[in-house]
Amino acid sequence: MKKKKMEITAVAFSMAFRHSSISASASITEPPTPTPPSPSQTKKSIKFVNSKPFSARKSAKLQLHRASDLNSVLSKVGKTLTVKELNSTLHHFGNSNKFNHISQLFLWMQENKKLDVYSYSNYIKFMANKLDASTVLKLYNNIQDESAKDNVYVCNSVLSCLIKKGKFDTAIKLFHQMKQDGLVPDLVTYSMLIAGCVKVKDGYSKALQLIQELQDNKLRMDNVIYGAILAVCASNGKWEEAEHYFNGMKNEGHSPNVYHYSSLLNAYSASGNFKKADSLIQDMKSEGLVPNKVILTTLLKVYVRGGLLEKSRELLTKLESLSYAEDEMPYCVLMDGLAKAGQVHEAKIVFDEMMKKHVRSDGYAHSIMISAFCRAKLFEEAKQLAKNFQTTFNKYDVVIMNSMLCAFCRAGEMESVMETLRKMDELAISPDYNTFNILIKYFCRQNMYLLAYQTMEDMHSKGYQPVEELCSSLIYHLGQANAYSEAFSVYNMLKYSKRTIRKTLHEKILHILLAGKLLKDAYVVFKDNATFISGHTTKKFASAFMKLGNINLINDVMKTLHNCGYKIDQDLFEMAVTRYLGQPEKKDLLLHLLQWMPGQGYVVDPSTRNLILKNSHLFGRQLIAEVLSKQRVSLKPKNLTR
DNA sequence: CCCTGTTAAC
């Protein structure tokens, strides 16, 4: 039964991630595709275009703006328009969200070579939500015009688009390449990149590097750069650093605006420092600034984190009266705070109120409550809410998927787990670190260790590093299930990740490898971690290897054991010699061992000696006698020192 | 004419 269940799951599971494993990341160094020169580019036609009466072109532009069949209008009047006019048309379509028109027009402009830097930056800006990162990269790489390629506006809009798509690392890589190709970054480039650090790992130190770089380039931080770095400080919980920048900008003569205040306020929220927050609000008011929706919502976050739940409720009421609570965010802040303070039922009351008031929601509230229920181990409630989400929303992202997966996993709803995975595939939502963690834990709880292992492999191949605890537990269970090489593979994932490993894990995997007779791997583990391996386990490894290990490695293992301070006993030598006697073609290895021994103070004991002599015809009597005689000579002085 | 900064969920 278990086995059957596992197979079904494995199929569904691999199906579920079909999409994500083939999603290729486009190279930023992709060679440009050459396009043949178009006839419209000739000087003659441009001259012709410019000589058209202005009124005719104006009507052509209007025809374009109103066109339903854009391509037919373009083929009629497109060539009469200037690049500037075409750009303004792009703008027009952009402002009215006519994305198909933008694409068609831009394609036509590319094909007819009627475009400039504004066209590129406009296009990318308007299409940022529709294009994916690899399309934008391709577009940029295929720009033939060198002056457009290192144009700061074009570069900024490309980088900005990548960052919006969450491809921060790609953006940074491209940024370095752009600089090499001649881009001179400006303050906008840096503000955008620094702002991009808000949501990335190690964002604060990455932002500092960028600040350093802009200063090295003799650029001076402006209001927006300060806004960006304050946001980075806030999202990394660095309120002291935030205060430093806040005061720094004031000293440089910049007056903070609501963006700066809200970021500093947000920096106080991590530690719930409501005293500093209240006094900041006073400062702000005395500067003549009026707290807006974001400021008050952030203040709510400070109160919630500071544990001032009564005051939080009052502030939410105030937000409602100011019509600042028309979307779910303030409710979410309060619910999450209550839930994290262990008051799930109070959180649910806020949720129900919110539903009763028909507050606009994108599903965050559901996600928060599902997670809150899971945290409180109220899996049935979590599951109900997840199902409720499925029926009322049609907007999914990886976070809500994770919340639902967690709920279904914990409630033991296998069918719903699979359905959610299929949905992720259908919508091409890539699993993230948490998705993998949730699934691996679930599969382990279901005793589906091989599936857990496959999931961890997938996780690892996507660049996510599982924590030691999970690896360690999976290693143990795989070992118990006789899946020795899988256990070793998990060990290696952990070993080559940047995570720390408890020293006892090396010994644990060694036992598993010995049980699986994976002696070569065991040797590698032993060699790399000999100092963490107990005497008992060393002995176990040594005799296992002598008995069944690769004969060509026996001498190496002997030397390693010796070099690690392990005293090799006579039994071990006898086992090695027996192996060599069984394979006379390895006589050189036996002779090598016998020659090595006296130098390290080892002697051949009488019974082994007899064994060798009995078989000396296999090796050459003369040679054996010589080697054994050297043993005897060195025996005495060495023996005294031992 | 084009590019930048603030609030919520695992």
Side-chain angles (χ1 to χ4, degrees):
Chain A
M1 181 59 199
K2 270 272 153 60
K3 182 140 194 238
K4 196 173 172 199
K5 205 168 161 186
M6 180 145 115
E7 278 164 6
I8 293 165
T9 317
V11 170
F13 185 69
S14 63
M15 243 175 64
F17 288 155
R18 177 161 44 85
H19 241 108
S20 56
S21 22
I22 54 163
S23 78
S25 65
S27 152
I28 57 171
T29 50
E30 191 168 300
T33 332
T35 22
S38 104
S40 74
Q41 213 198 2
T42 59
K43 277 194 180 130
K44 210 172 168 185
S45 77
I46 288 172
K47 204 171 174 190
F48 171 72
V49 163
N50 289 337
S51 66
K52 271 260 170 179
F54 178 74
S55 60
R57 297 213 312 276
K58 196 174 176 189
S59 105
K61 209 169 114 177
L62 276 175
Q63 280 183 53
L64 270 190
H65 283 199
R66 292 170 189 158
S68 53
D69 183 359
L70 190 61
N71 277 333
S72 81
V73 179
L74 272 174
S75 61
K76 265 185 258 163
V77 300
K79 286 177 186 166
T80 67
L81 290 169
T82 60
V83 172
K84 203 172 162 182
E85 285 159 341
L86 290 166
N87 282 345
S88 121
T89 308
L90 265 184
H91 223 272
H92 172 82
F93 291 150
N95 288 333
S96 40
N97 291 329
K98 293 182 173 167
F99 298 109
N100 288 336
H101 281 35
I102 300 175
S103 301
Q104 278 180 35
L105 176 55
F106 185 74
L107 191 67
W108 185 90
M109 288 164 75
Q110 275 184 308
E111 281 167 356
N112 294 279
K113 301 264 174 172
K114 292 196 76 159
L115 73 182
D116 61 12
V117 290
Y118 304 127
S119 325
Y120 285 111
S121 58
N122 263 330
Y123 175 71
I124 294 166
K125 182 187 139 195
F126 287 127
M127 295 300 287
N129 292 325
K130 304 279 160 189
L131 304 175
D132 58 27
S134 60
T135 312
V136 172
L137 279 174
K138 252 183 232 158
L139 171 70
Y140 175 73
N141 285 321
N142 285 339
I143 295 178
Q144 304 292 298
D145 180 359
E146 287 302 317
S147 68
K149 216 168 175 182
D150 60 20
N151 176 276
V152 70
Y153 295 125
V154 174
C155 292
N156 286 350
S157 41
V158 170
L159 293 173
S160 159
C161 180
L162 292 177
I163 287 174
K164 276 179 196 147
K165 298 275 154 197
K167 304 278 174 196
F168 182 81
D169 292 336
T170 313
I172 289 289
K173 248 192 248 165
L174 182 61
F175 174 56
H176 290 303
Q177 193 197 307
M178 285 167 164
K179 282 187 291 182
Q180 278 182 358
D181 294 347
L183 165 71
V184 181
D186 65 1
L187 272 182
V188 174
T189 319
Y190 286 106
S191 357
M192 182 180 62
L193 292 174
I194 293 167
C197 295
V198 169
K199 276 167 284 203
V200 300
K201 198 173 77 203
D202 281 332
Y204 180 69
S205 62
K206 286 173 181 163
L208 285 191
Q209 278 175 28
L210 288 161
I211 297 251
Q212 186 62 49
E213 190 179 312
L214 81 91
Q215 286 170 343
D216 291 346
N217 290 346
K218 305 281 178 257
L219 292 170
R220 291 190 65 97
M221 289 176 73
D222 67 355
N223 254 313
V224 178
I225 295 271
Y226 273 113
I229 188 66
L230 281 167
V232 174
C233 291
S235 65
N236 285 271
K238 297 192 179 294
W239 64 268
E240 282 145 315
E241 291 79 353
E243 277 184 352
H244 164 80
Y245 283 110
F246 191 81
N247 294 328
M249 72 176 283
K250 282 206 277 197
N251 291 337
E252 284 176 26
H254 302 289
S255 23
N257 61 24
V258 277
Y259 286 94
H260 306 104
Y261 278 102
S262 66
S263 285
L264 182 54
L265 202 57
N266 193 26
Y268 293 143
S269 73
S271 51
N273 197 335
F274 52 86
K275 281 184 186 156
K276 279 193 176 278
D278 281 336
S279 109
L280 188 70
I281 298 280
Q282 287 314 312
D283 279 1
M284 186 182 162
K285 285 179 175 164
S286 68
E287 292 293 325
L289 292 170
V290 182
N292 64 7
K293 188 162 109 176
V294 174
I295 292 279
L296 292 180
T297 309
T298 310
L299 183 63
L300 177 65
K301 191 174 152 188
V302 180
Y303 289 164
V304 164
R305 295 279 164 88
L308 304 180
L309 296 177
E310 262 325 294
K311 227 175 158 186
S312 303
R313 262 184 260 262
E314 284 164 23
L315 185 50
L316 180 59
T317 309
K318 184 177 168 186
L319 279 155
E320 284 170 339
S321 69
L322 289 166
S323 308
Y324 286 171
E326 285 175 343
D327 71 35
E328 62 188 326
M329 199 178 302
Y331 299 94
C332 288
V333 170
L334 183 56
M335 279 187 302
D336 190 49
L338 287 167
K340 283 180 177 156
Q343 305 185 29
V344 203
H345 295 293
E346 284 75 4
K348 183 62 170 28
I349 291 168
V350 176
F351 179 84
D352 291 339
E353 262 172 46
M354 195 192 129
M355 293 298 136
K356 221 167 88 190
K357 288 177 185 158
H358 299 289
V359 173
R360 198 165 47 231
S361 170
D362 281 332
Y364 281 80
H366 276 75
S367 179
I368 290 167
M369 279 314 299
I370 294 168
S371 309
F373 280 137
C374 285
R375 202 180 303 123
K377 300 200 186 304
L378 298 169
F379 304 126
E380 208 42 45
E381 284 86 342
K383 185 190 87 183
Q384 286 308 328
L385 214 49
K387 300 222 157 168
N388 177 274
F389 181 91
Q390 285 177 325
T391 55
T392 43
F393 286 84
N394 204 11
K395 236 179 130 175
Y396 295 92
D397 66 9
V398 69
V399 179
I400 184 69
M401 288 298 188
N402 287 346
S403 306
M404 293 197 299
L405 273 179
C406 187
F408 293 142
C409 285
R410 299 308 300 261
E413 294 276 299
M414 171 69 90
E415 262 314 303
S416 299
V417 171
M418 289 309 138
E419 195 192 317
T420 309
L421 291 177
R422 275 192 294 271
K423 188 98 195 161
M424 283 182 81
D425 180 53
E426 198 183 297
L427 300 172
I429 296 172
S430 309
D432 70 359
Y433 176 86
N434 291 303
T435 319
F436 288 117
N437 241 3
I438 292 163
L439 291 173
I440 294 168
K441 279 187 186 161
Y442 173 60
F443 295 145
C444 282
R445 262 197 310 274
Q446 300 290 311
N447 301 326
M448 291 149 68
Y449 300 113
L450 281 179
L451 190 52
Y453 164 71
Q454 285 160 16
T455 311
M456 194 177 273
E457 281 264 275
D458 199 3
M459 176 179 193
H460 186 250
S461 72
K462 300 242 162 57
Y464 297 109
Q465 293 165 357
V467 289
E468 190 201 336
E469 199 190 5
L470 190 59
C471 292
S472 177
S473 144
L474 186 55
I475 288 171
Y476 169 79
H477 289 297
L478 286 169
Q480 293 285 300
N482 301 343
Y484 308 109
S485 61
E486 286 81 2
F488 187 51
S489 164
V490 174
Y491 167 82
N492 280 323
M493 284 179 217
L494 191 56
K495 186 175 161 185
Y496 295 108
S497 73
K498 283 170 202 130
R499 301 216 184 262
T500 49
I501 303 189
R502 250 173 303 168
K503 317 237 178 305
T504 49
L505 193 66
H506 304 299
E507 184 148 353
K508 206 159 140 186
I509 192 67
L510 196 50
H511 279 287
I512 290 171
L513 292 171
L514 293 177
K517 299 193 170 41
L518 297 173
L519 297 167
K520 207 166 172 173
D521 295 329
Y523 177 37
V524 172
V525 172
F526 178 78
K527 204 166 164 178
D528 291 348
N529 306 288
T531 47
F532 309 129
I533 309 293
S534 70
H536 168 75
T537 308
T538 303
K539 196 178 163 76
K540 194 174 151 188
F541 158 71
S543 53
F545 201 96
M546 292 311 138
K547 217 176 278 170
L548 294 163
N550 184 327
I551 196 164
N552 296 315
L553 289 175
I554 282 182
N555 289 353
D556 288 345
V557 172
M558 286 290 191
K559 286 177 194 175
T560 303
L561 286 165
H562 176 76
N563 292 338
C564 295
Y566 180 78
K567 196 183 158 204
I568 303 168
D569 62 26
Q570 291 303 332
D571 288 349
L572 226 47
F573 281 122
E574 186 167 345
M575 284 161 93
V577 168
T578 310
R579 289 287 302 280
Y580 285 134
L581 292 178
Q583 270 178 267
E585 70 276 14
K586 299 289 177 192
K587 69 171 182 182
D588 290 344
L589 292 176
L590 174 61
L591 290 170
H592 183 91
L593 179 63
L594 294 173
Q595 278 159 350
W596 173 78
M597 288 172 66
Q600 319 304 319
Y602 295 111
V603 289
V604 178
D605 74 328
S607 78
T608 309
R609 191 183 165 81
N610 284 338
L611 201 61
I612 296 169
L613 287 172
K614 226 184 262 172
N615 291 282
S616 59
H617 59 280
L618 296 172
F619 301 94
R621 287 197 169 84
Q622 186 64 31
L623 207 53
I624 288 292
E626 233 169 70
V627 173
L628 287 180
S629 75
K630 276 185 192 140
Q631 288 262 345
R632 203 190 300 234
V633 173
S634 57
L635 172 96
K636 278 200 173 150
K638 280 279 172 183
N639 221 16
L640 284 173
T641 61
R642 276 178 80 91

